[in-house]
Amino acid sequence: MTSTEAQPVPARRRRVQPFTSFRYRGYPWLWAANVCHGAVQGAQGFLITWLIIEELDRNYSYGLVTLASSLPVVLLGLHAGRLADRRDGRLLLMGSHVAVALILLLTAILAARDLPSLWLTFLLVGLGTAAATFGGPVRVALIPAIVPRKRILNANVLNDLGLALGTLAGGLPTPFVADRWGPEFAFLLLAAASVVGAVFLIPLRVPPQVPEAEDDHGFHGNSGTVTIGGGMREGFRFLWERIELRLLLLLFVLAAFLGPWLGLNFSVVAERLDIEVRAWALLSLLLGVGTLVSVIVMAFVPRVRRAGAWCGTMIIASAVAAVGVWFSSSYGLTGFLMAVFGVALGIRGLLIVTLVQSHTPIAVMGRVMGVYVALTAGAVLLAQPVTRAGQALLTDDGWIVFAGIVLVGVVTFVLVRNPGLRRMPSHPEPVEPGVEHEEAVAGPG
């Protein structure tokens, strides 16, 4: 893959090392930049909602906000992936951070002068999303360029943990800051956080690419099939030639726009459980707790031998949990299912990204990640219209059951019919015996 350089550490025998990725030069800087990115993302959504409801006295339109925050990714994600393979990833990511900061600064100035209109607000959301999109593929593609393949799962775990910490650091104080000093001051703080993220990237050095050995699928990273200078089609061609990765992404996209969790809403749960918004917020918090628990647990897992099977199982588990939440009439059962839902979402997200990274050569990593982020955004964009149409056709209860049955059925069918997908490991290399005595974790199937 790439040449990676670990910082000198004393030799020691350890069973697991949950923070081992921090040993590799460059990873701590990328991690710190991603924490800042998480802080911006965690607070930005609340501030946009604040502008629409409090400052503009308008009803919050989830559909328009989703359109403004997803359409730029669909339109620019593939191009951003191509740039990630052709340009200096560090400079590209720094530029994305600075561009996001400038748009947040502009939003703060306009908010201070009471100028934002509804459409100007949506335009600012779209511009901010476009700026962040150019950093999206490279943000994920840099991880396997900095750490070896056998550490990608651990690096993704720590990265998700950093993003979660950043989201909490940015999201929790934002309502207080906006209420006390106004949303314009909160936007200024977010702009500063984005700039700090760019500063963290200054000392980042990405190791040069070296010819890759033939991997388990018979692909040479330096072959003519996929090249650094190729176009955007190379990412699609690579995925088309790798049936396991193609099926994995198709399942992920199907879950993103057809998942039964898309029908969950406060009004239905409140009616069934006779609870208020604060109680629902507490239940929703359990979803975040479940996701955080899954990330912490995965930090102690060096390798997942049947990661493909685990990934499919987590998609099924999250679908079943969502249907259970919809029909639950018990406060305790709903809380438990929300926590299960969060655990399943956390594990499935980690494994999907890790599987794509560890089975993709560095030469085409950016373009493949561009396909990944564009497909994800497209699925999110289609999710709400599909859900509304399904609910109108089958009623709310009928749609969520239908979505759950279809998703579980398709995932089960694909896993049963494709043993190669079930057996995909989190990284192809066998577990190395010796210094760290790492153990593989077998999955279902």
Side-chain angles (χ1 to χ4, degrees):
M1 294 272 302
T2 58
S3 59
T4 54
E5 184 180 2
Q7 299 180 17
V9 293
R12 50 185 173 181
R13 301 172 66 87
R14 300 177 66 177
R15 188 176 183 83
V16 291
Q17 296 182 352
F19 301 104
T20 187
S21 293
F22 285 118
R23 295 165 47 200
Y24 296 94
R25 298 186 190 280
Y27 182 80
W29 301 113
L30 178 63
W31 185 86
N34 287 344
V35 171
C36 295
H37 173 70
V40 173
Q41 296 300 308
Q44 195 170 221
F46 172 81
L47 288 176
I48 296 299
T49 305
W50 182 288
L51 280 181
I52 294 174
I53 297 177
E54 297 293 333
E55 302 297 317
L56 302 176
D57 194 23
R58 302 290 291 270
N59 292 327
Y60 179 77
S61 175
Y62 179 82
L64 288 177
V65 173
T66 301
L67 179 66
S69 59
S70 299
L71 187 59
V73 185
V74 176
L75 298 177
L76 301 174
L78 297 179
H79 183 58
R82 184 177 68 88
L83 289 178
D85 283 335
R86 297 169 63 95
R87 298 288 185 263
D88 186 323
R90 179 180 68 98
L91 294 180
L92 187 61
L93 191 54
M94 289 175 63
S96 175
H97 273 262
V98 172
V100 169
L102 291 176
I103 294 169
L104 289 170
L105 179 61
L106 175 61
T107 305
I109 294 173
L110 294 175
R113 298 184 177 183
D114 297 325
L115 294 181
S117 65
L118 183 63
W119 293 109
L120 180 58
T121 300
F122 288 137
L123 176 62
L124 292 171
V125 172
L127 290 175
T129 302
T133 298
F134 283 96
V138 69
R139 192 182 301 278
V140 187
L142 279 176
I143 289 178
I146 295 174
V147 304
R149 277 196 295 184
K150 65 181 180 180
R151 304 295 186 210
I152 290 178
L153 176 59
N154 179 261
N156 284 327
V157 168
L158 296 178
N159 184 63
D160 277 13
L161 183 60
L163 288 171
L165 293 175
T167 300
L168 289 174
L172 290 179
T174 297
F176 170 78
V177 172
D179 184 54
R180 182 76 178 269
W181 294 288
E184 60 273 14
F185 185 72
F187 277 115
L188 282 177
L189 291 180
L190 292 187
S194 192
V195 171
V196 171
V199 172
F200 279 130
L201 292 168
I202 294 176
L204 173 64
R205 294 295 179 269
V206 181
Q209 296 184 26
V210 297
E212 299 177 80
E214 185 175 1
D215 63 19
D216 292 347
H217 303 280
F219 177 81
H220 290 276
N222 60 340
S223 71
T225 305
V226 178
T227 61
I228 295 177
M232 289 184 286
R233 270 188 256 176
E234 295 291 344
F236 285 102
R237 186 177 2 164
F238 173 79
L239 289 173
W240 185 257
E241 294 173 354
R242 300 299 183 272
I243 184 171
E244 291 86 3
L245 291 181
R246 185 169 77 243
L247 290 172
L248 186 70
L249 286 181
L250 287 176
L251 291 180
F252 178 69
V253 170
L254 178 65
F257 85 89
L258 188 66
W261 42 84
L262 298 171
L264 290 177
N265 57 72
F266 165 69
S267 60
V268 174
V269 178
E271 182 179 349
R272 294 181 187 276
L273 299 180
D274 191 23
I275 60 176
E276 298 179 350
V277 177
R278 291 184 181 180
W280 174 246
L282 177 61
L283 291 173
S284 300
L285 180 63
L286 292 175
L287 188 151
V289 170
T291 303
L292 182 61
V293 168
S294 71
V295 171
I296 294 174
V297 170
M298 292 298 290
F300 293 88
V301 178
R303 186 173 188 261
V304 182
R305 195 171 64 197
R306 295 180 181 267
W310 272 112
C311 189
T313 301
M314 291 301 104
I315 294 177
I316 293 173
S318 59
V320 173
V323 174
V325 169
W326 181 271
F327 289 103
S328 173
S329 58
S330 164
Y331 190 89
L333 178 60
T334 301
F336 171 76
L337 291 173
M338 291 288 280
V340 172
F341 185 25
V343 170
L345 287 181
I347 295 177
R348 117 183 169 193
L350 279 170
L351 291 182
I352 286 176
V353 174
T354 300
L355 283 169
V356 175
Q357 289 171 326
S358 63
H359 292 79
T360 301
I362 286 294
V364 74
M365 186 72 70
R367 280 162 286 180
V368 170
M369 287 304 163
V371 173
Y372 172 79
V373 299
L375 286 177
T376 303
V380 171
L381 200 58
L382 293 173
Q384 288 303 314
V386 169
T387 299
R388 290 197 191 98
Q391 289 172 328
L393 183 64
L394 301 174
T395 72
D396 290 350
D397 288 353
W399 168 252
I400 201 166
V401 172
F402 172 80
I405 291 175
V406 170
L407 187 57
V408 171
V410 171
V411 173
T412 302
F413 176 79
V414 170
L415 288 178
V416 170
R417 295 282 297 176
N418 295 273
L421 175 60
R422 296 198 308 270
R423 296 167 185 164
M424 283 183 73
S426 57
H427 58 80
E429 297 91 346
V431 178
E432 295 182 3
V435 176
E436 298 186 19
H437 294 283
E438 296 176 342
E439 292 183 350
V441 176

